[in-house]
């Protein structure tokens, strides 16, 4: 199992064996994790990553320390580094954090959004529709993130948006939309449609109401993740 996971990491990395900086390594490791290419608990072998990038262990360790601070990587003594794995209760908590921050941003975003931002949301919704119709859960998950952050970003509340993106990042290795039934995705997408309509109509009350319902559905999905799937860690 360990060898397979190591190979999964190395296969996903887009490496440039010459002239890689610590920032390059950090950016590439972060990209792979946020893309959902590595499930929670996947080992990140320092030596193999260093060999892939053609660098010493030092810049790899420094990059992993940064990702640990971001909540994407965890380190256990005698076990090394791995993609962070939350317990079910921790994951549920992070979804509550996401909901709280997003709701705070939406009220301001409705009135501050410009035409370009509204147009961009329509485009993302079209991509969501396509991903749903094609049965592509990975792309649906990716576009769902763009949609939610696209709703919040016009708030111009930069510190809040930074915290919201941080909270999203912590939950990304689980790739929740990949692990729900197509019928559940369709139901969640109906929420997206109504949220978009309310946003475009500048109907803040309706937007917040549907957003709250949407997050209730998400929390219900989180609660059904199988305990022994590897997606969540055992409760302490």
């Amino acid at each position: 199992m360990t060898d397979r996971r190591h190979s999964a990491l190395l296969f996903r990395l887009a490496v440039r064996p010459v002239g890689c900086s610590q920032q390059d390594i950090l950016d590439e490791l972060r990209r792979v994790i946020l893309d959902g290419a590595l499930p929670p608990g996947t080992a990140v072998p320092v030596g193999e990553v260093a060999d892939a990038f053609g660098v010493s262990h030092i810049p790899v360790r420094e990059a992993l320390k940064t990702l640990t601070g971001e909540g994407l990587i965890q380190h256990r003594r005698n076990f090394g580094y791995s993609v962070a794995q939350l317990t079910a209760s921790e994951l549920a908590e992070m979804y509550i954090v996401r909901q709280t921050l997003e709701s705070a941003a939406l009220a301001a975003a409705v009135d501050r959004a410009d035409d370009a931002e509204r147009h961009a949301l329509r485009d993302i919704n079209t991509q969501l529709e396509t991903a749903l119709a094609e049965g592509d859960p990975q792309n649906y998950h990716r576009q769902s993130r763009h949609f939610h952050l696209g709703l919040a970003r016009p708030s111009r509340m930069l510190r809040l948006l930074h915290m919201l993106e941080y909270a999203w990042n912590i939950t990304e290795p689980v790739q929740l939309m990949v692990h729900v039934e197509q019928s559940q995705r369709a139901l969640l997408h109906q929420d997206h449609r109504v949220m978009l309509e309310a946003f475009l109509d500048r109907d803040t009350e309706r937007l917040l109401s549907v957003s709250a319902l949407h997050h209730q559905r998400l929390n219900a999905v989180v609660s059904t993740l199988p305990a022994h799937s590897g997606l969540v860690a055992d409760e302490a």
Side-chain angles (χ1 to χ4, degrees):
M1 177 64 72
T2 299
D3 288 341
R4 182 185 66 80
R5 287 187 165 189
H6 287 193
S7 299
L9 168 63
L10 298 175
F11 177 76
R12 297 288 185 174
L13 290 172
V15 299
R16 191 176 69 246
V18 178
C20 279
S21 68
Q22 181 179 314
Q23 187 63 48
D24 293 331
I25 297 167
L26 172 61
D27 290 344
E28 182 57 16
L29 288 171
R30 186 191 290 117
R31 180 194 68 79
V32 170
I33 295 170
L34 294 182
D35 278 353
L38 304 175
T42 299
V44 182
V46 174
E48 293 180 39
V49 173
D51 289 344
F53 282 104
V55 298
S56 72
H57 290 195
I58 294 174
V60 175
R61 284 201 182 97
E62 291 302 312
L64 291 171
K65 287 179 183 178
T66 298
L67 294 173
T68 299
E70 295 177 6
L72 294 176
I73 289 289
Q74 61 191 17
H75 181 264
R76 289 195 299 161
R77 190 173 182 179
N78 299 325
F79 288 92
Y81 293 95
S82 60
V83 178
Q85 187 180 44
L86 302 177
T87 65
S89 60
E90 289 170 336
L91 185 62
E93 181 181 343
M94 290 312 303
Y95 270 85
I96 292 171
V97 171
R98 276 174 41 176
Q99 176 186 0
T100 302
L101 293 171
E102 183 176 309
S103 296
L106 289 181
V110 168
D111 291 326
R112 295 178 183 176
D114 58 30
D115 289 342
E117 288 164 328
R118 294 188 181 92
H119 182 74
L121 277 169
R122 291 190 187 95
D123 284 345
I124 295 170
N125 186 63
T126 298
Q127 293 180 60
L128 281 166
E129 298 275 5
T130 300
L132 186 66
E134 293 179 348
D136 185 345
Q138 286 83 8
N139 189 33
Y140 191 88
H141 181 90
R142 189 178 306 114
Q143 298 305 328
S144 179
R145 175 190 173 109
H146 294 328
F147 180 79
H148 281 273
L149 294 178
L151 286 173
R153 199 166 287 118
S155 70
R156 318 281 191 257
M157 302 167 73
L158 299 183
R159 291 177 179 81
L160 186 152
L161 292 170
H162 176 76
M163 290 187 288
L164 177 59
E165 190 152 7
Y166 175 87
W168 265 91
N169 286 353
I170 290 175
T171 64
E172 282 297 66
V174 174
Q175 296 282 294
L176 188 63
M177 288 297 100
V178 176
H179 303 287
V180 302
E181 298 294 332
Q182 175 75 353
S183 59
Q184 289 177 301
R185 274 193 297 276
L187 188 60
L188 289 164
H189 185 61
Q190 180 57 32
D191 294 339
H192 286 159
R193 292 191 192 103
V194 179
M195 290 167 71
L196 177 61
E197 290 171 3
F199 189 90
L200 297 177
D201 291 341
R202 295 179 172 83
D203 188 340
T204 304
E205 183 177 351
R206 186 183 183 208
L207 174 60
L208 291 175
S209 175
V210 179
S211 175
L213 173 62
H214 182 68
H215 281 90
Q216 287 176 15
R217 296 193 208 276
L218 288 173
N219 291 337
V221 172
V222 169
S223 69
T224 64
L225 287 174
H228 303 294
S229 63
L231 295 173
V232 293
D234 294 333
E235 298 286 349

